[in-house]
Amino acid sequence: MTAGETLEELLQELRACRICRDTPRYLPPLPHQPRPVIQASVTARLCIAGQAPGTRVHASGRPFTDPSGVRLRRWLGIGETVFYDPARVAVVPMGFCFPGQDAKGGDLPPRRECAQTWHERVFAAMPRIELVLAIGRYAQDWHLGDRKGRGLTATVSEWRELLARPTYPRVLPLPHPSWRNNAWLRQNPWFEAELVPVLRQEVARLVA
């Protein structure tokens, strides 16, 4: 965030971003028109940091308007009214635009340009954020830099240690709520048995 810049001014600039389409730094241009998706406010105390919009979110322009969002809200213990209230919940993915799909139909990784261009400014403009939910490897690598390369299971399994760190904001790692992680959830029942109840307590406190 630059001197004298308001969050609304920053969001207006971000939502008009065309870097990946017009002046990409790392990969070929975005294969479609950009549609940055972000939810933010100066009052939000909880931030959900995910990967990047998928096809449904790209179409809707709202974060997590897909089955992953249904599961995520169940984990959080909140409904759509609270989830989509920017005054209480911020949603700042690692990539703001749908990155396209690979040859197998899977979503490509978030564009690297997004975090490099916007993330420090966005988080500087949200000083009340107390907890960041880092969903998936890309968000965890950025928000937990010292855990980069450790892998999802190793990182999420250390959630108690990470949540207890004397940092601000605190960071809690989560797996992505996609159906692609169903096998992981079955293999790691401690996640829903132990982590999710603590997650719901934290969320209830922050969105009250």
Side-chain angles (χ1 to χ4, degrees):
M1 189 171 181
T2 58
E5 179 181 53
T6 68
L7 176 59
E8 287 308 313
E9 290 169 341
L10 174 58
L11 292 177
Q12 184 176 3
E13 182 183 352
L14 189 159
R15 288 176 173 133
C17 181
R18 294 183 57 85
I19 291 174
C20 292
R21 177 77 177 184
D22 297 344
T23 56
R25 299 171 189 163
Y26 302 105
L27 296 171
L30 202 66
H32 47 262
Q33 293 300 318
R35 190 180 191 183
V37 176
I38 181 174
Q39 177 173 300
S41 76
V42 296
T43 60
R45 299 165 64 197
L46 174 68
C47 178
I48 298 168
Q51 180 165 297
T55 53
R56 295 190 185 188
V57 173
H58 178 69
S60 72
R62 299 180 79 195
F64 289 100
T65 50
D66 52 22
S68 293
V70 174
R71 173 180 272 172
L72 176 60
R73 287 184 286 275
R74 178 173 60 81
W75 288 349
L76 302 180
I78 58 176
E80 291 189 3
T81 300
V82 173
F83 186 87
Y84 289 113
D85 180 0
R88 292 187 278 185
V89 179
V91 183
V92 184
M94 293 308 300
F96 296 110
C97 291
F98 171 51
Q101 295 178 323
D102 59 26
K104 296 182 179 179
D107 289 355
L108 291 169
R111 298 287 299 223
R112 292 165 58 189
E113 292 92 337
C114 283
Q116 294 179 1
T117 304
W118 299 108
H119 277 56
E120 288 188 6
R121 293 169 65 188
V122 169
F123 281 96
M126 297 192 298
R128 295 195 63 190
I129 295 296
E130 297 182 29
L131 178 64
V132 174
L133 305 180
I135 298 176
R137 179 170 61 88
Y138 295 101
Q140 289 160 16
D141 284 351
W142 198 85
H143 290 279
L144 296 167
D146 62 334
R147 289 298 196 274
K148 190 171 184 177
R150 285 180 58 82
L152 176 71
T153 302
T155 299
V156 178
S157 66
E158 295 174 349
W159 66 274
R160 290 185 179 87
E161 171 194 338
L162 296 171
L163 190 60
R165 282 182 170 184
T167 58
Y168 190 89
R170 294 178 300 151
V171 179
L172 180 62
L174 303 177
H176 197 282
S178 167
W179 62 269
R180 296 176 186 273
N181 276 336
N182 285 350
W184 187 93
L185 293 169
R186 288 193 298 270
Q187 293 164 8
N188 297 276
W190 53 265
F191 171 76
E192 297 211 41
E194 301 173 22
L195 190 157
V196 168
V198 174
L199 170 64
R200 289 176 178 169
Q201 291 175 2
E202 290 284 336
V203 170
R205 177 179 65 84
L206 293 169
V207 303

